[in-house]
Amino acid sequence: ARLVVLVSGSGTNLQALLDAIAERGAAGYGAEVVAVGADRTGIAGLERAERLGIPTFVCRVGDHATRADWDLALAEATAAYRPDLVVSAGFMKIVGPEFLARFGGRCVNTHPALLPSFPGAHGVRDALAYGAKVTGCTVHFVDDGVDTGPIIAQGVVEVRDEDDESALHERIKEVERSLLVDVVGRLARNGYRIEGRKVRIP
Ligand code: GRF
């Protein structure tokens, strides 16, 4: 399967995918990263791709007159690489109708909380502030809401009394990276069906 991965920051989830593909081979893993897209320049996520000669693209909201123009530009830049699956791995923008028209049902996102708890841009901070004793991460299909699409897999992470946001997020990311690698590989190799809120991977 052809993957386009969207990032906004350090790209350690992207790196986990790249490492798995390097280890097992694209055929063995069932997928290859054909391009990496971002909503901003100057981030480690783009450097990780450039280092391997993987094509990159950047679509900045500020470069477009309207949000809808940005959404269309992102959709077209992504479509140019003919992805079978789009992976939003720390991509911090909400995609819109143009993107979903093309990739709805074939775009997965990873979120650092146990959805439906703590959706949005501060899931780790919100779980900590709430006093949750366990949190974790969720890989789900992207729909037109914010972190609301059908859940594919989740991983549980304990919250420790001494945790601050970054310590907890790092612990979550250890689980998140392996969960994302496992899910993307299974979707790519086995195919899948989305039945309402259920995801079936044969
Ligand atoms: C991940 O935990 C992702 O779920 C969240 O931001 C983090 C991105 O980390 N949205 P990285 O850029 O993959 O290192």
Side-chain angles (χ1 to χ4, degrees), residues 118-188:
F118 312 120
H122 306 292
V124 180
R125 180 189 312 171
D126 296 342
L128 201 57
Y130 194 90
K133 295 301 181 187
V134 293
T135 186
C137 47
T138 303
V139 180
H140 64 95
F141 279 101
V142 172
D143 68 4
D144 56 1
V146 178
D147 300 324
T148 52
I151 292 173
I152 307 167
Q154 295 186 296
V156 178
V157 174
E158 65 166 1
V159 183
R160 296 177 185 159
D161 294 345
E162 69 275 13
D163 273 338
D164 62 9
E165 183 181 352
S166 64
L168 178 54
H169 201 168
E170 277 315 306
R171 197 172 328 116
I172 290 169
K173 285 172 83 171
E174 283 164 29
V175 175
E176 183 177 31
R177 289 191 281 264
S178 55
L179 191 74
L180 186 66
V181 165
D182 174 59
V183 163
V184 169
R186 285 194 292 122
L187 293 173

Side-chain angles (χ1 to χ4, degrees), residues 2-196:
R2 297 171 60 87
L3 306 179
V4 168
V5 183
L6 302 178
V7 297
S8 294
S10 56
T12 63
N13 279 285
L14 164 66
Q15 191 62 54
L17 288 167
L18 294 172
D19 292 349
I21 292 164
E23 258 165 60
R24 304 181 217 179
Y29 182 67
E32 57 178 326
V33 175
V34 296
V36 172
D39 60 336
R40 66 198 76 180
T41 55
I43 53 165
L46 289 172
E47 290 163 21
R48 295 179 193 275
E50 289 156 5
R51 206 174 295 153
L52 295 171
I54 294 171
T56 60
F57 60 88
V58 176
C59 289
R60 284 183 302 205
V61 172
D63 291 347
H64 299 274
T66 67
R67 180 77 182 211
D69 288 351
W70 171 81
D71 179 40
L72 179 58
L74 180 73
E76 291 179 340
T78 302
Y81 291 97
R82 295 180 286 105
D84 299 299
L85 196 62
V86 180
V87 181
S88 163
F91 186 64
M92 300 306 278
K93 290 287 185 302
I94 303 302
V95 293
E98 288 289 353
F99 190 91
L100 290 171
R102 288 168 177 75
F103 302 111
R106 350 196 241 130
C107 180
V108 300
N109 180 51
T110 178
H111 180 73
L114 291 175
L115 297 173
S117 297
F118 312 120
H122 306 292
V124 180
R125 180 189 312 171
D126 296 342
L128 201 57
Y130 194 90
K133 295 301 181 187
V134 293
T135 186
C137 47
T138 303
V139 180
H140 64 95
F141 279 101
V142 172
D143 68 4
D144 56 1
V146 178
D147 300 324
T148 52
I151 292 173
I152 307 167
Q154 295 186 296
V156 178
V157 174
E158 65 166 1
V159 183
R160 296 177 185 159
D161 294 345
E162 69 275 13
D163 273 338
D164 62 9
E165 183 181 352
S166 64
L168 178 54
H169 201 168
E170 277 315 306
R171 197 172 328 116
I172 290 169
K173 285 172 83 171
E174 283 164 29
V175 175
E176 183 177 31
R177 289 191 281 264
S178 55
L179 191 74
L180 186 66
V181 165
D182 174 59
V183 163
V184 169
R186 285 194 292 122
L187 293 173
R189 289 188 302 274
N190 302 12
Y192 56 91
R193 283 194 320 280
I194 303 175
E195 298 163 356

